[in-house]
Each structure stands twice: as C-alpha cells, then as structure tokens.
Amino acid sequence: MLVAKNLSKSYKEVKALTDVNLNIQKGELYGMLGPNGAGKTTTISILSSLLKPDEGEIFYEEKSLYQNLTECKRLIGVVPQEIALYEDLTASENLNFWGTMYGIRGKQLQNKCDELLEFLGLSDRKNHKVKTYSGGMKRRINIAAALLHDPKIVFMDEPTVGIDPQSRNLIFEVIEELHSRGLTMIYTTHYMEEAERLCDRIGIIDEGRIIAEGSLDELKANSSIKEEIHLKYSNPNKNGLDQLIDRYEGQLIVNENHLVLSSSQANAELPELIQRCSQSELLLDKIDIRSLSLESIFLELTGKSLRD
Amino acid sequence: MFTIALKDIKQYFKDKTAVFLSLLLPIALITIFALMYGGIGESEKSRPINLLFSDQDKTDLSQEVFSTLDAEDGLKLEATSYEEAETLIKKGKRTAVLVLYKGFQDSVEAGKKIPMELFYDEAKEIEMGLLQQALWSNLFGITMKKGIKGKVNTWIKDKNPDLSDSELEDIQAQVAEQFDGFNNSEEQSEMEENSELPMTALVGEKKNGNLGLVQAIAGIAIMMLLFSVSASGASLLKEKEDGTFRRLLIAPVSPSGILYGKMLSTLFMAVLQLTVMFLYSWLALGLDIFINLPALILMILCAAIACSSFGIFMASVCKSRKQVESLSTLIILVISAIGGSMMPLFFMPAIMKKLAVISVNYWAMEGFFDIFWRQLPLIDILPKMIILLGIGAVLTTISVISFRRNLLKMV
C-alpha cells in the first residue's frame, strides 16, 4: 500500500529524519512509537505530501507520490495532532466543507456525513458549533473529517493527546472498528499502551531514525531483556533514588512511587535489588515481575525513557 | 507582580518585528501629520495655483493681463482654449479658467463693462479663495488704470477734437502722474462695477449632495474597507495557527487555489461592505447613488478588488496575525492620510498631493468624486478604475509569489 525509501529531512542544521524506510501493507495498522521530537510528525508530514523530503521516494499503490500528487492525495486521509477544524462552524458544516475539498458533493456528501456522525456517536450534536464540544468530541470530528472521502490509508498523528481516559477508549474503539473494516492506518504515539493495544506492527523511532520494527512479539523476541521488575514504594527519597539510577543506568524507569527495572533474569536480580532499595531507605510496598513492555524495549534501545 | 511584568516585557521583545512596528507607527504618523499641517519644509515655497487663461480678445491689453498674472508668485498661468479648459476643470485636473472675451481691450478703454468671466470647480474652495485674492489685486489694478485712461482720452477728444496724437500723449502722461491723487468715489465705483468679474461654477452646480458628504463617505468607506480586508486576509494566518491550513494543503487543491479562495471571500466581503455603506449613505445621508449607477457598481468592484488584494498581500508577506495587525494599521493610516481619506487633499501641501498617487484611497476617492461630484461619464472614470485594477493585479502577483515562497514556513 505504502512504500517509503530512504527518507531524510533536515531543518537547517537539525537532522529531523535519517534514512527512514517503511513498507506498509494493505489493511495494516502500523504504529510509530517514539518520544516527543523523535520525528513522528515530520514523517507523517512527508508521507502526506505536506513536506518534501531532502532525499527519498514515496509510493502509494506503486505510484510515485510526487508524480501523481493529486491522485495520491485522494488516497490519503490525515488526522492531525491539533484539532484542525473551524470552531465557529457546526460539526455538519465542518464535514461538508472538508468533504467538498475532496470533490464530494450533494446527496453523496450528505449521506457520508450522516454515516460518520452516527459512527462516531455525534449525530445528536451535529448542528452544534464545534467550539461547544468537549475535547474528546472534537477529536472524533477531527477523525471524521479525515474519513469523508473514503481514503485507502489514514495517518493518525497522536489522536488521543489531551483527552480523558473515557474519550480515549472511545477513540480506540473507533480505530479498532476501522481496522476491522480493512482500513490501512499509520498511528503515531508516545504512549506504549496505545501501540501495544492497537498496532499490528510497531516502528520505534528516535532522533529521526527507525531503530526497531516488528510486531510486539517480534520486538520482544529480539530484545535481550525478558522481564520487568515493578517496585512500588511509599517514601520518595531523592538520594536513594539517585543511587539506584546510578547503579542500574539504562535499565531503570522511574515513575511516581514506582520503579521498573528491565531485566534478562528477574529472579536472579531481585534479591540484590531489594537489598539496594533497603540501603537507599526506600520502603517497598509491592514487588511484581511482569513480561516485557515496549517501554523497556525503548529504554534498552535508546537508553532513555519514552517520557523523557 | 514583577515576575509577571518581566515575563510580559520579555514576550514583547521576543517579536522583534512587532516591536519595530509599534515604534514605527507613531513615528510615521507624526511625520505625515507634520507634513499635512506644514510643520516640515516651512521654507518650501507654497505651490502656485494653476489658472487656465482663455484669451479670446488677443490684444495688447489681454497679453498684458496674462503677463501680469503669470508674474504673480501665487499663480501659474496656462493659455488654453475655453473648451479644453472646461474639460480639464470638469475632470478635476484644474481649478479655474479666466476667460477674456472678444472686445476686452475696447471695453476697458471705453470704460464699459468688461467682457470677462471666471469658470471654476466648486470643490476647490480653498484654492478659489486664494485665486480670487490674487486675481482681484492684479486684474482690478490693470483694468482700473486702463479704464481711467480710456475715460480721460474720450473726454479730452470730445472737448478738443483737433488735438494731435503727440499732444494727447503728453496730456496722458501728465494725467498718469496725477493718477495717485485720483479720489473720485463716484468714478471709482463705476470703474469697480465695470471691472466686476462674473464667476460661474462648472462643477458642483448640478450636484444633489454636497462635497463634504462625498468626501466623508468615500474617504471613510475606503479606509474602513482596508481595515476590514486586512482582518479578512489575516484569516489565512489564523488557519495556519489553528492547523486547518495544513489540512487544506493535504487536500487535493493547489496552494494557489487556497490563496485565490481567500481572495474571493475577501473580495465578496469588500463588495458587500462598500455596497452597504453606499446604501446607507443613500438612505440616511441623502447621497444620490443613482446618479450614475453603472459607474458606481464598477467603481465599487474596482475599489474592492484593489483593497482586497491589499488584504491578501498583507497576509502573504507577514508571518503572524500580530504582524498583520501592526503592519496593516501602519500602512492603512499612512495611505489613508496621504490619499485624502482623513483630510481633503486641497488642504495639504504640494508634496502630499504628489505622494497621494501611490495610495489606493486616492484613486478610489477620485473615482467616487468623478461619479458624485464631477458627474463625469463612465468613459472619463475608466482610467481611475484601470489604475485600481492595476494596483490589484500588482499586489496579487506579489502575494502569489510570496505565498509560494513562504509556504514551507507556514506548514
């Protein structure tokens, strides 16, 4: 469906993308996981023709993007990170406008708008101005505007940023439904849970390079880390935490009252870890050994947390 | 409190363009108003008034009148036929024409009513005031002197029909020497009556509104329209800030198509605004908008095109809405001041009148003056319309080039 070869892009002195290669199959939901500033939005902008790469080629259904720009644009739907809607217009008016931009008109457009509003659970608010919507509702209309012209591939650039868990779940359901209908999607996120839950294949991107790619199982299988030790503590002690970070450099993720240690042999490492926590005067409430997550894989690959 | 103040000051200085413009605006306005009120270049000689001169008598005396008036500091004479003069005045290009009819010299010398007339444009009240003053002192001086001489000659010849020409000239010279002592109020009054200069307005006689009304409507309408279109053009930058511009660029439409779409909506709003303003002027202020409706419609369209292209031009050369607001306020106030929107051009010094031609306000206002005040036929208003369309074309071309060049920065 989409092939991108050796995409590179620089902004003055800063290298935003370096030799990015993608091969997205029809019906696939491909996740691009990386921290903020890793190059996810630049990749989406290049793939959607918004930016031109300094080097590289892009093909949609084996047609070159730049030689068949208008034709390829019709194959693409983009859900931008920001709410790219006219807030003073109603949901219906917004969808009508964006549909018309893709050449859909009349009854066909009306039916498509109604169908999408129904699908996204917004039929009863369709005549209300977008500015009166909640963050989650705006996100859903933002998605609808990208689906009006029945694109073959949809880019979703962090579509759940800044919304509550309930709205996020609603959006996940929408994405899963679209996936089940066979729509090809590229989904960027810096939330590993989203990538784990939704994506068939995940590309881990950092500093403009795709550093690992594969299904979740493949990524786990290729990692030298096999498990994670989760420690919950109740007395945050900065000096103690600093000692642990020094000892387990590149292995330890520190969250609020919660430590995650990536480990190839959790059972063997656990006694020493408990002893060090005790020396660091951290009172442990709970200890868990879990299977490997994407966050630990990211840490292993980059030496930094996704939240850094 | 101080932290907030410091933060605000820091933010203010972050946008260097906005800082520059906020300082430039008052400087520019002070300069313009100083020029308008004559505070700058006081030593500059005021521009002489152009007076057309139609000599139908073609005698020594009529030539003397031409030379005397032309030598006057405040006047610059241009000899022309009456027909040509009439056209120039009706088109607003000249203020007045002094016509000396056939028999001018004979009548002066015979002490009869002098056949002369001044035709003028009522719109140019200030210039006419100055002109009358200059004419009165010079014209009356010449005709009075010649009139007395003529009367004296006639009287002497009547009484002494046998006098030779040389004897008559001697007597005249002596009379001239004594002329300063002339103090016959009855004679003087008759002379003054004969030297009276009839004045006829060529423009303004048949008007239905008044000059001030046309000035106010046309001036304010264009200035306010420029403010509206720059706000409308800035909506392009709002699209950028809101992210909808990226979405538009992803859609199968060319970047120029987006710009033309914006221009079209801005043009529509400009036409609507001008139409509403003129309808209001008709209903509430009594401006006869039906005086030349086709010309008015075309003029509204041309002014709207020129003004809306200015709005798009601002949006395409500025990087943020803040920049558009500052820069457009500066430019609009400047071109409105020099174009006559704030104050009639005839109040302004010569340099401002020369500068006025670079202002869209000037050409639009001149067009509306042609329609409502000078009541010219469409063919005579066309050049102003073409100039407005030309301004629109130039600004649009620059906008398209600049928009394409800055496109990447807008993503």
Side-chain angles (χ1 to χ4, degrees):
Chain A
M1 176 73 219
L2 163 64
V3 174
K5 292 179 183 171
N6 306 110
L7 299 180
S8 293
K9 177 79 186 169
S10 297
Y11 297 109
K12 290 181 184 168
E13 300 298 304
V14 183
K15 207 94 165 111
L17 285 187
T18 309
D19 281 332
V20 169
N21 289 285
L22 291 168
N23 190 346
I24 312 296
Q25 301 302 312
K26 197 171 179 190
E28 186 177 20
L29 204 171
Y30 182 90
M32 197 174 277
L33 180 71
N36 291 329
K40 302 187 296 291
T41 301
T42 301
T43 308
I44 297 290
S45 297
I46 290 173
L47 294 175
S48 60
S49 80
L50 204 53
L51 287 179
K52 273 206 166 175
D54 300 333
E55 286 170 49
E57 291 175 289
I58 300 162
F59 298 90
Y60 285 94
E61 294 183 333
E62 297 178 354
K63 287 174 192 154
S64 165
L65 171 64
Y66 301 110
Q67 283 165 23
N68 304 275
L69 192 61
T70 308
E71 195 183 337
C72 288
K73 276 182 166 187
R74 290 185 189 281
L75 301 174
I76 303 168
V78 178
V79 180
Q81 201 175 117
E82 64 275 24
I83 307 288
L85 298 168
Y86 299 103
E87 298 237 328
D88 288 326
L89 301 182
T90 66
S92 272
E93 287 167 339
N94 265 287
L95 294 185
N96 273 305
F97 171 75
W98 291 112
T100 311
M101 291 305 293
Y102 281 86
I104 316 166
R105 284 182 173 80
K107 191 84 184 154
Q108 189 196 357
L109 177 59
Q110 203 48 56
N111 291 342
K112 194 70 202 171
C113 290
D114 290 343
E115 182 197 314
L116 281 169
L117 287 164
E118 183 70 37
F119 173 55
L120 291 158
L122 290 166
S123 291
D124 55 334
R125 295 288 303 273
K126 68 177 184 181
N127 292 323
H128 291 206
K129 285 183 179 175
V130 169
K131 67 180 173 192
T132 65
Y133 282 20
S134 68
M137 290 161 80
K138 285 178 185 174
R139 287 266 164 215
R140 278 183 275 161
I141 290 292
N142 210 27
I143 293 173
L147 301 173
L148 281 157
H149 59 292
D150 286 325
K152 295 280 187 294
I153 183 166
V154 172
F155 300 108
M156 296 202 175
D157 192 6
E158 308 207 29
T160 58
V161 167
I163 56 171
D164 59 87
Q166 197 188 348
S167 300
R168 181 177 292 187
N169 272 329
L170 268 169
I171 287 173
F172 288 163
E173 285 167 22
V174 167
I175 292 167
E176 282 163 346
E177 174 61 26
L178 292 169
H179 186 33
S180 72
R181 292 181 190 180
L183 183 65
T184 311
M185 284 181 274
I186 293 185
Y187 187 98
T188 74
T189 182
H190 60 271
Y191 296 119
M192 59 161 188
E193 308 84 4
E194 294 186 0
E196 282 178 346
R197 173 175 170 174
L198 297 169
C199 303
D200 300 324
R201 217 149 52 91
I202 297 159
I204 295 178
I205 184 167
D206 187 46
E207 294 180 356
R209 289 172 190 274
I210 294 187
I211 52 176
E213 194 180 52
S215 67
L216 185 57
D217 289 340
E218 285 168 348
L219 289 170
K220 283 180 180 178
N222 291 337
S223 172
S224 61
I225 304 162
K226 299 301 167 200
E227 289 165 313
E228 291 173 352
I229 303 170
H230 288 247
L231 303 173
K232 202 173 172 202
Y233 58 92
S234 53
N235 62 329
N237 170 351
K238 195 176 176 308
N239 287 338
L241 283 173
D242 287 346
Q243 285 171 21
L244 284 174
I245 291 166
D246 286 346
R247 165 64 185 84
Y248 295 105
E249 194 183 349
Q251 264 186 284
L252 193 69
I253 300 165
V254 181
N255 297 321
E256 199 184 353
N257 294 333
H258 184 204
L259 298 174
V260 181
L261 184 76
S262 311
S263 171
S264 51
Q265 286 179 303
N267 285 327
E269 282 195 72
L270 191 56
E272 188 196 337
L273 178 63
I274 293 170
Q275 193 185 356
R276 286 189 179 276
C277 285
S278 170
Q279 284 167 357
S280 301
E281 296 176 351
L282 284 177
L283 292 176
L284 298 178
D285 293 337
K286 197 177 171 186
I287 301 171
D288 258 342
I289 296 177
R290 297 182 196 169
S291 62
L292 186 62
S293 73
L294 273 173
E295 185 137 26
S296 291
I297 296 171
F298 189 83
L299 182 69
E300 183 195 15
L301 292 167
T302 65
K304 60 192 177 192
S305 164
L306 266 170
R307 289 173 184 82
D308 284 351
Chain B
M1 183 177 74
F2 289 112
T3 315
I4 293 170
L6 273 173
K7 187 266 297 173
D8 286 349
I9 292 165
K10 250 184 199 171
Q11 276 185 317
Y12 172 73
F13 282 105
K14 286 263 177 203
D15 191 343
K16 295 202 166 37
T17 314
V19 173
F20 176 70
L21 291 173
S22 66
L23 299 175
L24 188 65
L25 177 64
I27 291 170
L29 286 178
I30 287 167
T31 312
I32 286 159
F33 279 95
L35 277 169
M36 280 162 65
Y37 294 123
I40 294 177
E42 272 179 324
S43 58
E44 182 199 0
K45 257 189 169 180
S46 61
R47 192 178 67 154
I49 300 163
N50 285 318
L51 174 66
L52 297 170
F53 187 84
S54 173
D55 183 3
Q56 297 175 7
D57 194 41
K58 300 200 188 304
T59 55
D60 291 344
L61 185 59
S62 66
Q63 281 304 307
E64 190 186 334
V65 170
F66 181 91
S67 311
T68 310
L69 291 176
D70 199 34
E72 183 70 16
D73 273 349
L75 291 176
K76 187 183 171 199
L77 260 67
E78 293 172 66
T80 181
S81 68
Y82 172 75
E83 289 73 21
E84 198 182 333
E86 188 182 16
T87 310
L88 289 170
I89 293 166
K90 281 186 175 174
K91 286 185 176 175
K93 290 180 178 168
R94 292 291 182 274
T95 305
V97 57
L98 176 65
V99 183
L100 303 186
Y101 294 114
K102 192 130 191 81
F104 170 78
Q105 183 171 332
D106 292 345
S107 301
V108 170
E109 287 174 356
K112 292 180 187 165
K113 187 163 178 59
I114 304 168
M116 60 181 178
E117 195 167 0
L118 186 72
F119 296 90
Y120 67 102
D121 179 354
E122 255 187 50
K124 299 183 176 169
E125 289 173 70
I126 304 289
E127 282 180 88
M128 277 308 296
L130 297 169
L131 186 61
Q132 276 176 280
Q133 215 173 9
L135 278 178
W136 174 251
S137 55
N138 288 287
L139 200 57
F140 185 67
I142 300 166
T143 53
M144 185 85 104
K145 226 174 194 177
K146 292 282 176 189
I148 289 165
K149 195 175 167 186
K151 277 201 170 252
V152 169
N153 278 352
T154 312
W155 185 83
I156 294 169
K157 275 193 170 177
D158 278 352
K159 298 286 178 194
N160 308 283
D162 302 330
L163 274 178
S164 69
D165 284 350
S166 59
E167 286 169 326
L168 191 59
E169 272 172 25
D170 282 345
I171 295 167
Q172 280 170 352
Q174 285 184 36
V175 170
E177 267 178 36
Q178 299 299 316
F179 183 73
D180 286 342
F182 177 81
N183 192 21
N184 184 330
S185 59
E186 199 180 312
E187 287 283 298
Q188 187 176 4
S189 149
E190 193 189 338
M191 290 291 171
E192 280 177 6
E193 210 170 277
N194 289 340
S195 302
E196 191 187 320
L197 179 62
M199 289 173 60
T200 308
L202 283 176
V203 187
E205 285 177 318
K206 54 191 172 181
K207 68 184 186 291
N208 296 316
N210 65 55
L211 179 65
L213 183 65
V214 179
Q215 163 75 34
I217 294 165
I220 299 300
I222 295 299
M223 186 167 74
M224 295 320 291
L225 180 61
L226 286 169
F227 278 113
S228 304
V229 295
S230 54
S232 173
S235 70
L236 190 66
L237 293 160
K238 187 179 184 314
E239 299 247 17
K240 175 194 162 191
E241 286 160 19
D242 292 350
T244 47
F245 186 69
R246 287 169 66 94
R247 196 164 220 164
L248 283 170
L249 286 174
I250 292 165
V253 57
S254 71
S256 305
I258 298 170
L259 189 71
Y260 294 141
K262 284 280 166 199
M263 284 182 72
L264 202 62
S265 62
T266 309
L267 177 63
F268 169 78
M269 284 180 263
V271 170
L272 180 71
Q273 188 175 334
L274 278 178
T275 307
V276 169
M277 283 190 199
F278 278 103
L279 282 175
Y280 171 79
S281 306
W282 169 53
L283 293 169
L285 306 173
L287 182 74
D288 184 3
I289 59 170
F290 301 103
I291 209 159
N292 187 349
L293 199 54
L296 177 61
I297 291 168
L298 283 174
M299 198 63 211
I300 284 177
L301 198 62
C302 294
I305 287 170
C307 290
S308 55
S309 66
F310 168 78
I312 294 297
F313 170 76
M314 292 309 301
S316 64
V317 296
C318 292
K319 288 175 187 154
S320 67
R321 274 197 291 166
K322 203 171 163 188
Q323 276 189 19
V324 172
E325 282 162 16
S326 313
L327 193 59
S328 60
T329 304
L330 172 69
I331 295 177
I332 293 167
L333 289 178
V334 169
I335 62 175
S336 297
I338 62 174
S341 273
M342 294 179 180
M343 188 187 279
L345 278 177
F346 52 75
F347 280 119
M348 297 189 198
I351 187 166
M352 296 298 283
K353 289 177 184 171
K354 280 179 186 160
L355 279 174
V357 295
I358 62 162
S359 162
V360 66
N361 304 54
Y362 171 78
W363 295 107
M365 287 180 67
E366 281 295 302
F368 289 122
F369 271 116
D370 283 353
I371 295 169
F372 295 112
W373 181 252
R374 298 183 191 111
Q375 297 177 18
L376 296 182
L378 180 59
I379 190 79
D380 289 329
I381 310 169
L382 274 178
K384 275 141 202 163
M385 294 179 183
I386 290 167
I387 288 169
L388 285 169
L389 291 176
I391 292 172
V394 169
L395 290 179
T396 303
T397 308
I398 298 170
S399 304
V400 171
I401 293 167
S402 170
F403 181 70
R404 282 183 182 154
R405 196 176 291 164
N406 293 331
L407 198 60
L408 278 179
K409 292 175 194 162
M410 295 186 76
V411 175

